[in-house]
C-alpha cells in the first residue's frame, strides 16, 4: 500500500508522526515534490482565487501525488488539539475542499478527524477509523500509534533544544549529531522568526529565510523551538488569547520574545489571504511598539520575488546590527 503525504500545511509539524505510524502499519510513504512555481500554478488553476496561498499550494501537492500512483492521499481534518482552541476553518473543510476541486482526488482521500486535547494528536478516537478503512486490527493500530507518539516526542524535544524542523528530522531519522549542528552556528544578533511551519519551512514560500539569516550570522528562534509553557507565559493572565491553535502559538511566542532582552528583533512571515494572521500580525505590531522591539512583516504570495525579499531582510538585519554594535561601543544608536 502506498500512502501519499502532501508536503504542505501541517505536514512540516507532524511528518515524523505520520511517517512512523504508516510505516509501522506496513505502508510505503510517498511524499510530494518540493514546492516549485509549476506546482503552485497547478494548485492555483483548481482553487478559488480568494483563498490563501497555503491552500493553493496544498492543492498543487495533491495533484503532484495523483501522478505518483498512490493508493491513498492522507488529508486529515484538523479540528482541535487543545481545549477551547480550534484550527482555521480551511483546515476543518480541507478534505471536502480537496475532494471537490481536484479531479480524481475524491477516490484517493484518506481522512479522519483530529479532534482532541493532545498536541501529538494520538488519541484513540481520532485514529480509530483507520481500522475500517485500511482493514487492520485495533491492536495493530494501537501499537503503531504508540511508536508514532514516541517518535514525534523525540522530534519535538530536538526542536525545543534549538533545532529547526529540518535539523530535528536529520537527527531523529538520519543519525546526524545534534551537537555537531549546534557547534557550527555563529551569531551576532538574535531574531525571532514568527510564522506557521508551512510558511517558514516551505523553501519556495519563505525562500529559505532561516538559511539566509544564518548566513548573516543571525541566531533564529521560531515558535516550535519554544516550550509550551514558555508560549503560554505571555504578558499576563488577562492578555489576549487567540482562538486558532497555531495562531495562538505564534502570538504567544511573539509575546514571550518581546520581553527577552537577548532577542534583538522579530520578523513575521505571513501568506497573502491569511485571515487569522491579519489579527495576530496587528497585535504583534502594536506590542512591538510598546516594547520598542524592531519588527518587520514579510507578506508573501505567488508573485513574490526572491530579490525583493532578500533586500528587505538584509536591510532589517543591517539596521539591527548597527544599533547593537553602536550600543556596545557606548555610542548613540
Amino acid at each position: 500500500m502506498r500512502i501519499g503525504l502532501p508536503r504542505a500545511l501541517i505536514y512540516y509539524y507532524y511528518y515524523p508522526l505520520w511517517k512512523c505510524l504508516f510505516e509501522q502499519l506496513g505502508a510505503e510513504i510517498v511524499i510530494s515534490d518540493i514546492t516549485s512555481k509549476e506546482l503552485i500554478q497547478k494548485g492555483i488553476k483548481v482553487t478559488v482565487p480568494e483563498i490563501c496561498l497555503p491552500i493553493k499550494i496544498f492543492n498543487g501537492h495533491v495533484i503532484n501525488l495523483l501522478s505518483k500512483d498512490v493508493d491513498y492521499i492522507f488529508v486529515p481534518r484538523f479540528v482541535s488539539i487543545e481545549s477551547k482552541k480550534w484550527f482555521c476553518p480551511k483546515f476543518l473543510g480541507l478534505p471536502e475542499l480537496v475532494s471537490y476541486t481536484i479531479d480524481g482526488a475524491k477516490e484517493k482521500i484518506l481522512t479522519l478527524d483530529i479532534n482532541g486535547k493532545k498536541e501529538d494528536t494520538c488519541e484513540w478516537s481520532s485514529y480509530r477509523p483507520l481500522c475500517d478503512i485500511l482493514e487492520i486490527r485495533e491492536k495493530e493500530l494501537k501499537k503503531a500509534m504508540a511508536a508514532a507518539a514516541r517518535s514525534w516526542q523525540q522530534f519535538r524535544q530536538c526542536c525545543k533544544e534549538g533545532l529547526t524542523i529540518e535539523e530535528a528530522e536529520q537527527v531523529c531519522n538520519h543519525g546526524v549529531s545534534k551537537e555537531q549542528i549546534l557547534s557550527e552556528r555563529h551569531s551576532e544578533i538574535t531574531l525571532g522568526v514568527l510564522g506557521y511551519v508551512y510558511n517558514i519551512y516551505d523553501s519556495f514560500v519563505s525562500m529559505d529565510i532561516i538559511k539566509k539569516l544564518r548566513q548573516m550570522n543571525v541566531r533564529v528562534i521560531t515558535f516550535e523551538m519554544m516550550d509550551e509553557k514558555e508560549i503560554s507565559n505571555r504578558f499576563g493572565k488577562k492578555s489576549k488569547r487567540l482562538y486558532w491553535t497555531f495562531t495562538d502559538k505564534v502570538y504567544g511566542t511573539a509575546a514571550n520574545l518581546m520581553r527577552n532582552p537577548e532577542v534583538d528583533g522579530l520578523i513575521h512571515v505571513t501568506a497573502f489571504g491569511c485571515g487569522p494572521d491579519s489579527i495576530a500580525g496587528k497585535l504583534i505590531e502594536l506590542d512591538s511598539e510598546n516594547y520598542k522591539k524592531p519588527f518587520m512583516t514579510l507578506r508573501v504570495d505567488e508573485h513574490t520575488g526572491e530579490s525583493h525579499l532578500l533586500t528587505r531582510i538584509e536591510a532589517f538585519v543591517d539596521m539591527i546590527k548597527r544599533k547593537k554594535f553602536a550600543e556596545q561601543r557606548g555610542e548613540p544608536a
Side-chain angles (χ1 to χ4, degrees), residues 106-175:
K106 187 177 181 181
E107 296 74 19
K108 297 279 188 179
I109 294 296
L110 173 62
T111 189
L112 46 80
D113 291 356
I114 303 295
N115 190 8
K117 295 180 181 178
K118 294 177 65 177
E119 194 182 25
D120 69 4
T121 74
C122 285
E123 289 170 294
W124 176 244
S125 58
S126 294
Y127 285 90
R128 169 66 182 80
L130 287 181
C131 288
D132 299 327
I133 300 171
L134 302 181
E135 298 180 346
I136 53 178
R137 293 175 299 167
E138 290 189 355
K139 182 179 179 181
E140 190 179 359
L141 179 58
K142 287 180 178 178
K143 183 179 178 183
M145 285 177 60
R150 289 194 298 272
S151 176
W152 190 75
Q153 290 297 344
Q154 182 188 11
F155 161 78
R156 286 292 297 127
Q157 184 58 40
C158 286
C159 290
K160 291 175 185 176
E161 292 175 10
L163 301 187
T164 64
I165 283 177
E166 294 160 344
E167 291 167 341
E169 201 272 335
Q170 287 291 312
V171 170
C172 293
N173 294 324
H174 301 284

Side-chain angles (χ1 to χ4, degrees), residues 194-196 198-199 223 234-235 240-255 258 266-271 273-289 295-299:
L194 309 168
Y196 307 124
Y198 45 86
N199 289 332
F223 90 80
R234 51 189 71 188
F235 298 125
K240 180 72 175 176
R241 294 187 69 84
L242 302 179
Y243 302 112
W244 306 284
T245 293
F246 279 90
T247 309
D248 195 63
K249 287 181 185 293
V250 169
Y251 181 53
T253 299
M258 291 281 181
L266 300 171
I267 297 175
H268 184 207
V269 181
T270 180
C274 178
D277 262 4
S278 65
I279 298 173
K282 190 61 183 177
L283 289 172
I284 297 170
E285 180 185 334
L286 293 172
D287 290 339
S288 72
E289 294 173 2
F295 172 69
M296 177 174 71
T297 298
L298 292 176
R299 184 169 288 104

Side-chain angles (χ1 to χ4, degrees), residues 73-84:
I73 299 175
F74 187 52
V75 185
R77 183 195 319 280
F78 273 85
V79 179
S80 178
I81 56 174
E82 290 180 275
S83 177
K84 298 181 180 179

